[in-house]
Amino acid sequence: MKKKNLVIVPFGNNSIESSWIFDDADRSFDVVLHYYHKTITSEKLKVESHSFALYHLCDFKWIMAHDFFTRYPDYLNQYEYFFFPDDDIEIKKETIHYLFDLVSTYRLQMAQPVLLPGSFKSWKILKKKRWSGIRYLSTVELMCPVLSKNAVADLLSTFNLNKSGWGIDILWGEIIRKKFGPKSIAVFDSIGASHTKPVGRGELYEKLGKSAFEERDEIFTTYSIAKTKIYTIPIPENSWFEKLKSYFFVKNLIIKLNQKSK
């Protein structure tokens, strides 16, 4: 049966080689790798595999994603949702299944799993909250977002505005909420991922040519963005009682998904 979800991962010589990339057994999604180093050193990637597709694009994450959809537009027509985890994100195959199902259930345009304790993070609001299933936010972070087909189409022209991606996440929130409303973006507290490397350091940032802060501020200035932080949307669904209800709803949904998969 044709899968309706796609995971796209920027991949290099030191990336986490998650087991679900190389094993598509009982996997409800397809995988595409965007390789960013000039030379492929991983032996696993040198062998042709039916479990993933490899594109040697040699660029930064969102620039590669922009080029990918521009060169291969059929991908946008084939799938309903797209998950874009960084290559230093640890996440289980089952969690990705839950993520896609929850995004579809809540009819979201953008979402992400919460960042688990011990993760490196730049936004405290994305830390796990107790007794919460879903929280509606102004945007999500670019390290592991899920986007709907419609969101990718609407945002594609902004994918390559800079190299780091800093500031683009805030811009995305402005665009998506304006078109789809205040309940179009959320984080799920009941499912999580781990960000294993510090934010703002490493190979990517050494290649930018300018600081990520400069790139971020250029986005804010160009698009006249006043609210430059991720914030909770002031709607009834974000009340304490509604978040508690969502905790049990999401928990029960995950139980049903587990039973269905057995």
Side-chain angles (χ1 to χ4, degrees):
M1 181 167 52
K2 178 181 176 294
K3 298 180 177 66
K4 66 176 183 177
N5 303 312
L6 181 65
V7 178
I8 300 178
V9 188
F11 213 81
N13 297 334
N14 300 308
S15 300
I16 295 175
E17 295 188 347
S18 300
S19 59
W20 47 261
I21 294 175
F22 306 98
D23 181 9
D24 62 353
D26 301 317
R27 201 177 66 187
S28 65
F29 54 88
D30 291 327
V31 173
V32 164
L33 304 180
H34 291 169
Y35 212 82
Y36 55 80
H37 283 133
K38 290 183 179 180
T39 303
I40 298 176
T41 60
S42 172
E43 295 301 322
K44 289 184 178 180
L45 300 184
K46 292 179 180 179
V47 180
E48 187 173 345
S49 173
H50 58 77
S51 64
F52 62 86
L54 177 67
Y55 293 84
H56 203 169
L57 300 176
C58 297
D59 217 318
F60 293 86
K61 176 180 178 178
W62 292 104
I63 294 177
M64 290 192 295
H66 176 273
D67 293 347
F68 172 71
F69 285 111
T70 301
R71 296 183 196 181
Y72 311 103
D74 284 348
Y75 273 96
L76 192 55
N77 299 322
Q78 292 174 22
Y79 299 93
E80 295 299 320
Y81 294 99
F82 302 83
F83 181 39
F84 298 88
D86 283 1
D87 62 337
D88 59 357
I89 293 289
E90 286 185 346
I91 187 168
K92 297 178 180 178
K93 177 177 66 176
E94 292 76 14
T95 303
I96 299 175
H97 290 166
Y98 304 151
L99 181 59
F100 280 128
D101 278 304
L102 286 169
V103 170
S104 178
T105 298
Y106 280 94
R107 299 181 181 179
L108 298 169
Q109 301 300 320
M110 285 173 50
Q112 75 166 83
V114 78
L115 295 180
L116 296 173
S119 291
F120 292 97
K121 56 184 71 70
S122 53
W123 298 102
K124 290 184 179 180
I125 198 169
L126 296 174
K127 293 173 63 177
K128 182 178 176 63
K129 308 296 183 184
R130 297 183 63 189
W131 303 109
S132 171
I134 183 174
R135 286 177 286 135
Y136 295 96
L137 302 180
S138 61
T139 191
V140 294
E141 200 163 18
L142 266 65
M143 71 171 61
C144 56
V146 175
L147 302 180
S148 70
K149 175 194 298 188
N150 290 332
V152 173
D154 288 339
L155 299 173
L156 184 58
S157 64
T158 69
F159 277 25
N160 62 350
L161 287 177
N162 63 29
K163 296 177 180 178
S164 67
W166 284 35
I168 293 178
D169 49 0
I170 305 298
L171 174 62
W172 283 7
E174 297 275 332
I175 295 171
I176 293 299
R177 284 183 287 108
K178 184 176 181 179
K179 181 171 183 179
F180 296 100
K183 294 195 295 181
S184 54
I185 305 171
V187 61
F188 293 106
D189 286 301
S190 298
I191 55 173
S194 295
H195 187 217
T196 63
K197 294 182 180 179
V199 177
R201 302 181 196 173
E203 178 185 348
L204 179 152
Y205 296 93
E206 294 170 359
K207 295 179 177 180
L208 290 180
K210 61 175 70 175
S211 76
F213 294 101
E214 288 180 274
E215 291 201 333
R216 177 201 65 187
D217 292 344
E218 287 173 357
I219 295 289
F220 293 163
T221 300
T222 301
Y223 292 91
S224 302
I225 295 176
K227 293 185 177 181
T228 60
K229 306 289 184 182
I230 301 178
Y231 58 89
T232 301
I233 300 297
I235 54 176
E237 286 80 1
N238 275 332
S239 69
W240 180 87
F241 181 66
E242 290 299 324
K243 285 190 293 185
L244 181 62
K245 284 172 58 179
S246 75
Y247 169 80
F248 290 105
F249 178 83
V250 171
K251 185 176 181 180
N252 288 332
L253 180 60
I254 289 175
I255 291 173
K256 292 178 181 178
L257 291 173
N258 283 334
Q259 292 173 342
K260 186 178 179 180
S261 65
K262 291 180 181 179

